[in-house]
Amino acid sequence: MIEPYRLMINGGVLSPGELKYICEAAENLGLDAISFGSRQDIIFPEEIDETKFNQFDNIHFVKPKRDGVENIASSYVSAEILPSTSWLTSDRYLYVLEQFKHKPKLRINVTDPKQRLVPLFTGNVNFIASEHEDYWYLYLRLPGWEKTKMYPALIYSWDMDKIELAIENILIEEPESIDMVFDLVSDAVDTNNRTVDKPLEVPFYPFPYYEGMNRIGPDRYWLGLYWRNNRYDIPFLKAMCELCSENKIGKISITPWKSFIVKGIPLHSKLKWEKLLGKFGINVRHSMLEMNWHVPVNDKDALSLKKYLVTNFDQNDISTYGLTFGITSYNSDTYNFTSIVIEKNRQPEVKGNFIIRDTYNLLYAKNFDPNTRQYIMHVQDVDKVELPGLLMELSKLYFEQLGDEKEEENVQVSNTETTEEVYQCSECMTVYNETYGDITQNIPPNTPFESLASNYECSLCEAPKSSFEKRILMKHN
C-alpha cells in the first residue's frame, strides 16, 4: 500500500487562511481534493511529484513512517460544543499547542477527559486535563510497551513541550518502566510537577453526533461536515474559507473521524452558510450508521467492508447511536479507540491456487467504552457474511446494559461510602494523599504524613509542613 503524503496540523487546528493556502498548493500539484487523517492531519490522497514541493515555502510534506514525524492530536475541536473541564477553554488549548516548537517523533495527545469526540489514549504521550488548572495527567505508551502507564506526577501546562522532548531523548535508553522514565526525565529537565492526589476519572458519554448546523448560545452556531469518501473538493473548501474570513472565524478544527468542524458562525450569517452548502450540493444529514467508523486511509477493502456492514444495518433498521466501530488487521500497530473492533485475520500461507476466504474476529471494549483500554473477544474466525448479525447482536447488548453500570455504581456508593484522611495545604489547596505519596520530592506511596521530615514543603507553593491541615475525603469504593 502506498503511503500518502501528509501535512501535520498542530492539534488539528488551522486558520481559514492556512487551509486556503493548502488548497491552492494542492491545486498547483494537480489535485482536485484533499482528505483528513485519524491524527487530525491533512492527506494528499494521490501520488504527487516531490520535485514541485519547493515552490511552497510554508508547507512541509511528510510521510510519517519514512520521515519519523508525528502529528499532535487535541480535543480543541470539542471545546464549547461538548462537555468540558472548566479551565480548558479554546484559548488555553491554543496557548498549550503553541509551545510545541519541535517536530515530534512520538504521537502526542492533548485532551479533555470530559469530551467524547477525540480519543484520550491513542498517542505515545497522552496529556489529559486534571481538575487542577494548568495541570495534566500524563499517560505513556512508548514504542515497545504493551500497556499504557500513568506518569507519577501531574504536568504543568508550560512544561509539556520540554517534558515530551526529554522523553524522546531518553528513548535511546529503552526505558522499561514508568519509574525509570520519571527518573531520567527529572534528571534531564527542571519541572513544576504537582503531586497526583487522586486517580483520573473519565466519565462515560455516548459518542456524539457531530454533523450539521448546531446552536452555541443565543447567537452562534457550529457546523460539522463529513463526506463519506473522505475526499473534500478544493473549490468548496476555498469558498468556505473565504466565508469564514468574512465572518471573522479564526479557526477550523479537524476531527479524528475524517471530518471537520467550524465554530462561531454568527446567527445573521446562517442563511449564507446554508446557501453555500446548497450551491455545492453538500449533504449534512448522514446517518450515524456511517459516521461513527474508523477505517484505515486508502484501504479499499476496509472501505468496502464498511459499506457492506452499514448497508446491512440500514436494511435491518438497526440503531448504533453512541457506538463506534473500527476496522483493523491482525497484529496491526494501530491503537484501537472504538467501542467495537472488526479485526481481519492474517491469511495462512498455502501452496497452489487455493482461494481462502477472509475471516474476522470481533472485539468490544469493556462497557463499550474504548477509554477503558480493555477489549473483550466476542467471536473469532467468522466469515464476512456472519458479521452483520453478530454486530447487531453486540449493538443490542450495548443498549441492554446502557445505564446499568452507572446504576450499579450508585448502589455500591450508597452502601460502601467510606472516609479517607488527607492533608491539604492551606495556602494553595494542594492535597497530600498518603496513598500516593509525593513523587516530586521522592516520597514513596503509603508514607504517613506524620513521617514526613519537619522541613517538608508543599510541592506546589513551597509552604511549610505546618501549613497542611487534616481533611476528611469521602471515598467511594
Side-chain angles (χ1 to χ4, degrees), residues 46-144:
E46 288 89 8
E47 277 295 287
I48 48 183
D49 185 356
E50 288 190 40
T51 61
K52 296 182 179 180
F53 287 174
N54 57 12
Q55 61 185 296
F56 309 111
D57 297 334
N58 298 325
I59 296 181
H60 181 61
F61 299 89
V62 300
K63 288 189 173 184
K65 291 181 181 178
R66 182 193 71 182
D67 300 323
V69 178
E70 296 288 356
N71 199 45
I72 301 175
S74 84
S75 54
Y76 171 91
V77 62
S78 67
E80 301 169 2
I81 66 173
L82 294 175
S84 62
T85 298
S86 59
W87 63 265
L88 190 50
T89 62
S90 294
D91 288 344
R92 193 68 62 93
Y93 275 109
L94 296 178
Y95 288 136
V96 167
L97 292 170
E98 182 63 25
Q99 71 177 285
F100 288 91
K101 299 297 185 182
H102 68 286
K103 296 174 183 175
K105 299 176 183 177
L106 296 174
R107 295 181 175 183
I108 304 170
N109 284 21
V110 178
T111 55
D112 187 333
K114 293 187 178 181
Q115 56 78 44
R116 202 65 176 178
L117 188 59
V118 177
L120 306 184
F121 300 104
T122 53
N124 304 117
V125 179
N126 303 285
F127 294 102
I128 304 172
S130 78
E131 293 181 358
H132 301 293
E133 184 170 351
D134 272 327
Y135 279 90
W136 306 73
Y137 291 94
L138 173 55
Y139 282 78
L140 299 180
R141 187 171 183 255
L142 300 181

Side-chain angles (χ1 to χ4, degrees), residues 228-229 295-296 299-308 327:
R228 61 167 58 95
N229 62 3
V295 180
D299 190 327
K300 293 182 179 179
D301 290 340
L303 185 61
S304 174
L305 178 60
K306 174 198 166 181
K307 290 179 179 177
Y308 167 74
I327 297 176

Side-chain angles (χ1 to χ4, degrees), residues 8 55 90 95 127 130 138 145 242 263 269 336 345 382 434 440 446 452 472:
M8 298 304 170
Q55 61 185 296
S90 294
Y95 288 136
F127 294 102
S130 78
L138 173 55
W145 287 17
E242 290 171 1
K263 294 183 283 188
S269 189
N336 296 321
N345 285 317
V382 297
E434 295 179 348
T440 65
N446 301 314
L452 299 179
I472 302 300

